Amino acid sequence: NAGVTQTPKFRILKIGQSMTLQCAQDMNHNYMYWYRQDPGMGLKLIYYSVGAGITDKGEVPNGYNVSRSTTEDFPLRLELAAPSQTSVYFCASSLIGIGVGSEQFFGPGTRLTVL
Amino acid sequence: AQTVTQSQPEMSVQEAETVTLSCTYDTSESDYYLFWYKQPPSRQMILVIRQEAYKQQNATENRFSVNFQKAAKSFSLKISDSQLGDAAMYFCAYRRSGGSNYKLTFGKGTLLTVNP
């Protein structure tokens, strides 16, 4: 049971480039989330999904897109990278949204630098 | 909007001693969840303990316990018998109980150093 996995671990992008951050979980969790963590700050929610085919915006969605075609995978796409997107990105999952089983389990993170 | 404040950017403790990390939050909700997450240098976010607001009893997990004061909107974490492996950044987080927004609202974190 690998839990939540993320690839790549590190990436450097040039301004204007695009990339997809991969996230997968093998716990059969329905809910998945993308957060970003800027230096000296807590995590902020970018997007989340309550199940395959259903996604919704968090508090900082601008510049990102997501899709959820399967229960296991929840990729995050950056279309036109900007220096403001330099951050550490965390993917998380939970069995359900509220109540027992709603604890969010996090992946190891992807450190992204945009130059 | 909910906010979470951790007023101690850094704390240190001697190995085997006890340390308390502070967290306050602001919300108009009556039912919600509070969490403490640990982030070691590996960056992995690890859930330490959770507290449901409707429960008066403070949560405990082995050496970790909380002091939940709902009226004061305070949620502190006590680490007893501190170990070198406890050294990490600790984040306090809030999540509302109902509705469709499942986001966690995090504080800025407290960096805990454990001295041998």
Side-chain angles (χ1 to χ4, degrees), chain A residues 36-95:
Chain A
R36 59 178 286 173
Q37 183 181 28
D38 298 329
M41 304 292 287
L43 281 67
K44 292 189 176 181
L45 184 66
I46 305 171
Y47 270 96
Y48 67 98
S49 169
V50 302
I54 307 170
T55 63
D56 206 349
K57 296 177 181 178
E59 56 184 318
V60 288
N62 292 341
Y64 307 94
N65 279 301
V66 294
S67 59
R68 184 100 181 266
S69 57
T70 67
T71 300
E72 295 78 17
D73 300 297
F74 189 40
L76 177 72
R77 176 119 182 120
L78 284 70
E79 290 294 349
L80 292 170
S84 61
Q85 293 178 304
T86 294
S87 191
V88 180
Y89 291 84
F90 289 95
C91 179
S93 72
S94 64
L95 180 62

Side-chain angles (χ1 to χ4, degrees), chain B residues 2 4 27 29 32-34 93-96 103-105:
Chain B
Q2 294 83 15
V4 176
T27 183
E29 305 282 337
Y32 46 86
Y33 298 94
L34 296 164
Y94 164 100
R95 201 192 74 226
R96 58 186 297 192
K103 77 168 185 175
L104 287 167
T105 299

Side-chain angles (χ1 to χ4, degrees), chain B:
Chain B
Q2 294 83 15
T3 58
V4 176
T5 302
Q6 294 178 249
S7 59
Q8 306 152 316
E10 297 184 28
M11 292 281 286
S12 64
V13 63
Q14 290 297 124
E15 196 175 4
E17 294 191 347
T18 296
V19 65
T20 298
L21 308 184
S22 300
C23 172
T24 58
Y25 58 94
D26 186 28
T27 183
S28 58
E29 305 282 337
S30 60
D31 199 12
Y32 46 86
Y33 298 94
L34 296 164
F35 306 86
W36 278 98
Y37 278 89
K38 170 185 177 182
Q39 187 179 42
S42 67
R43 291 204 316 255
Q44 185 88 39
M45 294 286 286
I46 302 164
L47 178 65
V48 175
I49 199 165
R50 64 176 269 168
Q51 174 81 42
E52 290 91 339
Y54 66 86
K55 289 187 178 179
Q56 294 186 344
Q57 187 173 5
N58 290 323
T60 62
E61 286 288 342
N62 301 314
R63 297 182 295 107
F64 299 87
S65 61
V66 299
N67 184 3
F68 173 49
Q69 301 288 328
K70 190 173 184 179
K73 295 181 182 175
S74 170
F75 183 60
S76 60
L77 175 69
K78 186 171 81 171
I79 306 174
S80 304
D81 186 25
S82 296
Q83 300 176 359
L84 294 177
D86 295 334
M89 183 73 85
Y90 285 81
F91 290 96
C92 179
Y94 164 100
R95 201 192 74 226
R96 58 186 297 192
S97 175
S100 59
N101 190 336
Y102 306 104
K103 77 168 185 175
L104 287 167
T105 299
F106 287 85
K108 292 185 178 181
T110 296
L111 180 62
L112 178 66
T113 303
V114 180
N115 301 310

Side-chain angles (χ1 to χ4, degrees), chain A residues 97-108:
Chain A
I98 59 174
V100 176
S102 64
E103 289 85 357
Q104 295 183 19
F105 295 87
F106 285 79

Side-chain angles (χ1 to χ4, degrees), chain A residues 9-28:
Chain A
K9 285 186 168 52
F10 305 93
R11 183 72 185 268
I12 297 175
L13 282 182
K14 293 183 179 178
I15 294 172
Q17 286 186 320
S18 300
M19 78 163 294
T20 299
L21 281 66
Q22 301 292 344
C23 173
Q25 53 89 11
D26 62 358
M27 298 176 282
N28 204 28

